[in-house]
Amino acid sequence: MPHRRTLTLRGTGALLSGLGCLIAANMVGAPILLYIGVLLLALTVFSVLVVRLPRRAGSVTRQVSTDLLTVSETSRVTLRFTLRALRVPRGLWRDVLPSAVTGDSAGEYPSETGQLSYLITGVRRGVWPIGPLVLRTVDPFGLAQREQAFGETRSVTVVPEVFTLAPLTVKVGAAGGTAHTSSSRLGQGSDNLSPRRYIPGDSMRRIHWRATAHRGQLMVRQEEEESSPDALVILDRSAARWARPGADEDPAFETAVSMCASVAVHLVQEGYGVDVIDSSGALLGTLRGHEDDRDGLLVALALVGPRGDARDITTLVGGTPPGPLVYITGEIDEEDAALLRPSGAAAPMLFATAPHRGAAAAAERHGWRFARLGDDVAEAWEDVLPDRIGGTAEQRGATDVTS
């Protein structure tokens, strides 16, 4: 276990003062300075031995109250720390936190309850380590200190925030028909599907985790008769669309990722089967109303970042046009918007975080419902609903122009 033993500022002062007294005693012949110097040096050595000699070993178990921590969500971390030593010292503990989460992860040790706990809040998407636990003890005179780390780190996954969106005024299915709905696409009710035992060759994505935990053996969901996906959500993560593709955090891209998650979850709650892909065609998630699918999508979105180039929408959509087609992008000018074609989708919706002048008009000429994506995800979604669209794009140009 890594540890650090150092003198405190007081201890450093005592050591230097002791050495100074010894030197002065020899120079001026003052025995009292000799006694003071020896005393200060003896106290410093004693303090170092007090914090250094005890052999300490400890075990740490760490539990986070939520498996997936949403940005801006608060969760509780509980630690059970068992220290084996010659004595139980009084000191301070702190759990090392990454910058992606915030929390008051420090306190006095030992605690009266026998366990340590604190609250954390998600700040930035990603998978981040929490820990190790650091115990800092100081000798009774405050001259020497010892910091020692215990236990391993535990990863916490911070996923994008999912906002509640307004319902669609009209539900459309593939190629403009009525949206296909069934009990298998109604969210929580999908857990009532009859599971069966896992057979070698079954896709791991079809594992029914709750049934597996209940029965003690791998179970999978029964095969379902699925039609083509009714809705398609595309997150444009091509580097050319974002101002800071190499930065640790781009607020505009974070908003786009949150919009992607919110729209996908909202559409599946409305009865659609949803595929979520990026602009290169890579599959990020498939939602068919199962809770595991939702968690899988959020984990995938926790790790995405701007990169690569975008492919043509017609290639991404394939042969069967979806009903709702949601395309989320960043900086886009009039020429870029004119090249984006809905590819036959019944309800194409285009969101851009940084549209230039004329981009909205060019997009709407090709049938897109267009909205500028700002900080308010829910408001941007309402702007593309049929009953919220009024006037021409040029009349609303003041809301979709980035200077």
Side-chain angles (χ1 to χ4, degrees):
M1 288 177 291
H3 56 269
R4 184 176 64 187
R5 307 182 186 95
T6 58
L7 291 175
T8 64
L9 291 177
R10 182 185 299 178
T12 302
L15 178 63
L16 295 178
S17 298
L19 293 175
C21 288
L22 292 180
I23 295 174
N26 289 329
M27 294 179 61
V28 301
I32 187 64
L33 293 179
L34 178 63
Y35 299 146
I36 294 175
V38 171
L39 178 60
L40 289 175
L41 292 179
L43 281 176
T44 304
V45 172
F46 172 77
S47 298
V48 171
L49 293 178
V50 166
V51 299
R52 179 174 181 175
L53 289 182
R55 299 177 58 87
R56 298 172 188 163
S59 59
V60 180
T61 58
R62 188 181 286 104
Q63 182 179 3
V64 183
S65 61
T66 53
D67 294 331
L68 300 179
L69 180 64
T70 303
V71 171
S72 77
E73 180 186 9
T74 298
S75 182
R76 179 169 294 277
V77 179
T78 302
L79 300 94
R80 291 176 175 82
F81 176 43
T82 303
L83 178 63
R84 298 178 294 276
L86 295 178
R87 63 186 180 88
V88 178
R90 280 285 173 180
L92 299 176
W93 64 269
R94 61 181 176 89
D95 213 13
V96 180
L97 294 181
S99 59
V101 299
T102 60
D104 185 10
S105 59
E108 184 178 354
Y109 184 85
S111 64
E112 296 179 358
T113 61
Q115 69 179 22
L116 316 173
S117 66
Y118 59 93
L119 297 176
I120 59 173
T121 302
V123 175
R124 192 167 73 249
R125 293 179 302 113
V127 179
W128 311 100
I130 295 180
L133 179 69
V134 177
L135 181 63
R136 176 179 178 269
T137 55
V138 182
D139 74 286
F141 301 103
L143 302 181
Q145 67 179 1
R146 178 182 186 181
E147 282 194 356
Q148 188 171 0
F150 296 89
E152 303 294 332
T153 62
R154 185 191 190 282
S155 295
V156 60
T157 302
V158 182
V159 299
E161 189 171 4
V162 177
F163 294 91
T164 301
L165 304 180
L168 291 172
T169 54
V170 178
K171 294 186 178 181
V172 292
T178 303
H180 171 72
T181 61
S182 67
S183 62
S184 66
R185 292 185 179 176
L186 297 180
Q188 299 297 335
S190 62
D191 288 331
N192 295 325
L193 295 173
S194 175
R196 61 170 174 81
R197 295 183 60 182
Y198 172 83
I199 300 175
D202 285 334
S203 172
M204 296 298 290
R205 295 178 58 190
R206 303 197 64 82
I207 291 180
H208 195 300
W209 293 109
R210 293 184 179 179
T212 297
H214 179 69
R215 303 190 184 185
Q217 58 182 340
L218 282 178
M219 305 293 291
V220 297
R221 296 188 292 266
Q222 289 279 21
E223 294 293 333
E224 306 168 49
E225 295 184 0
E226 297 279 4
S227 60
S228 299
D230 296 315
L232 181 63
V233 180
I234 303 175
L235 175 63
D236 187 353
R237 52 189 295 211
S238 54
R241 299 296 185 207
W242 306 101
R244 298 184 292 172
D248 292 338
E249 183 179 7
D250 182 351
F253 186 76
E254 296 303 311
T255 302
V257 173
S258 184
M259 184 68 172
C260 178
S262 301
V263 170
V265 171
H266 178 69
L267 289 176
V268 78
Q269 290 174 346
E270 291 217 349
Y272 293 98
V274 184
D275 276 357
V276 183
I277 62 176
D278 67 11
S279 50
S280 68
L283 181 66
L284 298 176
T286 299
L287 302 184
R288 295 297 182 268
H290 304 295
E291 188 174 343
D292 289 351
D293 294 342
R294 178 184 183 276
D295 291 347
L297 171 65
L298 293 179
V299 171
L301 290 177
L303 303 174
V304 300
R307 71 175 187 184
D309 299 317
R311 295 170 60 186
D312 182 73
I313 292 184
T314 302
T315 305
L316 298 175
V317 170
T320 305
L325 169 63
V326 180
Y327 195 91
I328 305 166
T329 187
E331 184 176 358
I332 184 174
D333 57 25
E334 184 176 1
E335 182 180 356
D336 295 328
L339 296 176
L340 291 177
R341 304 299 173 90
S343 191
M349 292 169 273
L350 175 61
F351 299 92
T353 62
H356 291 202
R357 184 179 298 276
E364 291 181 356
R365 281 197 296 268
H366 294 292
W368 290 101
R369 294 170 181 168
F370 182 90
R372 181 182 183 277
L373 179 57
D375 295 334
D376 194 331
V377 168
E379 182 180 2
W381 171 256
E382 291 184 9
D383 286 343
V384 302
L385 299 182
D387 58 349
R388 289 294 300 273
I389 296 180
T392 65
E394 294 300 333
Q395 291 172 333
R396 295 182 291 110
T399 64
D400 64 283
V401 176
T402 297
S403 57

